[in-house]
Amino acid sequence: MKVLVVGGGGREHSMVWMFNQSSRVEKVYCAPGNAGIAREAETVHIDVEDIPALVNFARTEGIGLTAVGPELPLTLGIVDAFEEAGLRIFGASKAAAEIEGSKVFTKNLLARYGIPSGSYQVFSEPGPARAHLKQTGAPIVVKADGLAAGKGAIVCQTLKEAEEAIQIIMEERRFGDAGDRVVIEEFLVGEEASFLAFSDGKTVLPMATSQDHKPIFDGDKGPNTGGMGAYSPAPVVTAELFQQTMDEIMIPTVQAMASEGRPYKGVLYAGLMIKDGKARVLEFNARFGDPEAQPLFMRMDGDLVEIMDAVIDERLDEVTLDWHDDASICVVMASGGYPGSYGKGKVITGLDEADAMEDVKVFHAGTAEKDGRIVTSGGRILGVTAKGKDIPEAIDRAYRACDVITWDGAQYRSDIGAKALRLFK
Ligand code: AMP
């Protein structure tokens, strides 16, 4: 079978890597891909938003399965367009992807079905939003309703910051139409974890637990990024909490989406806040996390094609999913200056040496090829991923690999996985 992966980041590189291990796959394509993906798949110069061109490519090439990485094409209806064209595709439909595309939709859904999450109010005008903030005080969280590349949730420690958040989102309209409405949400404290599951609209098949690190600097300091690293398993999610999350969050959400006439097929990713042994929902994503996908795939013991087929054909109840007992971590190496402005075109060295290390895989994100050399071309550049018999061994291997990779201005956190170690003690 020929497979097409849509996207061009570290998550998509790890999907390509999984498909190349499937006995059912004869060729992998990736649109648009990156320099690392180009070494393992045929890259296609089509943008993730150009849905008609992707449909056309899949039809003419006889693609048997398309798997979508990022949220934008899902919220634009890529799954609906492929299905209308009679093409097999893995991902959430436009109606189902609303769970990521609109925070107002999701908060209302959670409230209506009694699924645990923080209390909230929705506003479509800055005046009433500001008046409400005066009553709630801070800390408080102000969120743009729509997609904002991971930057639309502003955690405000003071009332002044909250008022500025209203200005940025609703008046300056920094996130465009995504800021037509805001959710003002209770500030939740605790430990965060990512809970990902496959769903075929009826059955929920959970993945192993994981945790990411959003802030740019060690100790979770500095502004949020797309994600600076992740690890699996996440010991904060105990067996009991895992079951609670399935029973009170994942299964009810899939049932709620079905009741709303938006059957949920694809990956359902819950961002959780855990406190006193209870999980509450911070957000939902309609796709694999980036960088959570990279360590999760390193531990997944199975054929991704089989699982995606079972989701598409709505027979996920027939599938089991095994995980290697070991641990894995992904350390993201980013351009100097990220998440602010950064340069491009810096030559990266040490990639082959790192990739040759035991149980290490370097997934590419923002890379390009220039004159036969791999250069930087984005904010997040690489996801250096390793596994080991436990978290300390995985950490050691990933950082040894990071040590041999260099370019001018490279930055990465030195404490990925440290939270897991603290909990082990
Ligand atoms: P979101 O895009 O909604 O996941 O938010 C991004 C990040 O903001 C989360 O990973 C949390 O670190 C933080 N955050 C979001 N909502 C809350 C909340 N209600 N309380 C505390 N922190 C939050």
Side-chain angles (χ1 to χ4, degrees), residues 83-152:
E83 284 176 352
E84 271 165 35
L87 294 161
R88 287 174 72 78
I89 183 162
F90 174 88
S93 67
K94 186 174 184 186
E98 189 82 343
I99 208 160
E100 176 162 6
S102 168
K103 296 202 189 282
V104 172
F105 167 80
T106 301
K107 292 297 290 185
N108 289 343
L109 182 91
L110 295 175
R112 210 157 46 242
Y113 290 86
I115 298 165
S117 185
S119 58
Y120 72 104
Q121 292 266 354
V122 177
F123 296 92
S124 49
E125 298 291 337
R130 285 205 175 88
H132 176 71
L133 285 172
K134 290 221 162 57
Q135 285 171 357
T136 62
I140 192 90
V141 186
V142 180
K143 297 180 175 181
D145 176 36
L147 290 184
K151 297 185 183 118

Side-chain angles (χ1 to χ4, degrees), residues 103 141 143 153 155 185-188 192 214 282-283:
K103 296 202 189 282
V141 186
K143 297 180 175 181
V155 178
E185 191 179 308
E186 173 189 3
F187 173 74
L188 300 175
E192 285 186 52
K214 286 207 172 79
L282 288 179
E283 63 159 348

